Amino acid sequence: MDIDGDLETFAGLPVRDVEDESAAPDDPAAVAWRFSAGYGEADRIPELFAEILERTGPAGPTALIFGNWGGAMEERFPIELLLDNVDRLPNLRAVFAGDMSSEECEISWIKQVDVTPLLTAFPRLECLWVRGSDGLALTPVRHENLRELSFQSGGLPVTVVRAVGACDLPALEELDLWLGIAEYGGETTVDDLAPILSGRPFPALTHLGLRNSEIQDQVAAAVASAPVVAKLTVLDLSMGTLGDEGVEALLAGQPLTHLERLDVSHHFVSPELAQRLVDELPGVEVDISDEQDEDDEEFGRYTAVDE
């Protein structure tokens, strides 16, 4: 996922900006509606939201994408728009809170909220993406229908990681956590990941992303013997500080040949070991792109997304 790229699809639906003046979609429920406001224009967000409700009629939207809510470094995600309109959102299945590029707002500056009420208020929600972690909170819940959960950050609070591991999500198929760095609040350890790596909370999980971490070698070593891996089709360890130590652990650990895809892009692995990873996983799509220079005197190892 390119954090600075235009989102073309979300939750399997094409993205449509509410202010797009081109022809209206034939089925307003068959697109993911995106709305955003410029800095200092927070008062426009309720107006744009109301316009989406008008366009989609009694059925309401299927998917909503909140871009900049008019000063995301000062104002928190306006969750109340959703919570105050539950009755007008009977078919809401997907929410992305914070689809902003770094030019709009650095990821570590995006002010978030406790997103637990979204899960309790919308039991039919299937997809929840959240970008930014300032003020982000989650309480462990059981949710019968959530299939995709993504927390994207430069530093994911360990309290959120632990809460995810304590949730009961029987339908969850895809989990994506951008763990980040300690400087921006990402203090997760491999011990905190243990419930997730056990696989017990998420019996349907097939896609696991533990990404953008400054402890990626340790994460890879834990993944190498984690029970959850046996049922995965996609393992994503990209965007972090993965080096030779982590890849050696993966190669020495449990078999990975059952995977369809292994992503370790943005890495600090030697060319020889990176190629060995590809050679020893025939039939697996292995992404070893975006090799970084660990010998850079100014930066050393660094995650792809932090500020």
Side-chain angles (χ1 to χ4, degrees), residues 20-34:
D20 184 349
E21 296 181 355
S22 60
D26 293 335
D27 182 359
V31 300
W33 290 98
R34 184 184 189 278

Side-chain angles (χ1 to χ4, degrees), residues 67 79 88 126 154-155 157 159 174 181 192-193 195 205 211 214 247:
I79 191 174
R88 301 188 66 185
E126 297 178 358
T159 52
E174 182 170 340
I181 65 176
D192 298 312
L193 296 172
L205 195 70
R211 310 166 66 190
E214 66 180 346
V247 169

Side-chain angles (χ1 to χ4, degrees), residues 179-287:
L179 300 174
I181 65 176
E183 183 178 355
Y184 294 107
E187 298 181 341
T188 297
T189 68
V190 292
D191 289 340
D192 298 312
L193 296 172
I196 294 171
L197 295 178
S198 75
R200 287 189 295 271
F202 319 124
L205 195 70
T206 59
H207 181 135
L208 176 61
L210 300 172
R211 310 166 66 190
N212 200 51
S213 170
E214 66 180 346
I215 61 165
Q216 206 70 338
D217 279 340
Q218 297 173 45
V219 171
V223 165
S225 60
V228 71
V229 172
K231 61 184 181 180
L232 298 180
T233 59
V234 176
L235 176 60
D236 192 340
L237 302 175
S238 66
M239 299 169 57
T241 60
L242 187 71
D244 285 5
E245 180 183 344
V247 169
E248 287 170 350
L250 290 174
L251 289 169
Q254 63 187 303
L256 300 175
T257 52
H258 66 287
L259 294 175
E260 295 177 4
R261 177 176 171 82
L262 172 63
D263 191 343
V264 297
S265 58
H266 183 93
H267 63 85
F268 297 82
V269 182
S270 63
E272 297 79 15
L273 201 55
Q275 188 58 49
R276 183 183 161 201
L277 186 63
V278 174
D279 293 342
E280 295 198 13
L281 295 176
V284 179
E285 180 187 352
V286 182
D287 188 343

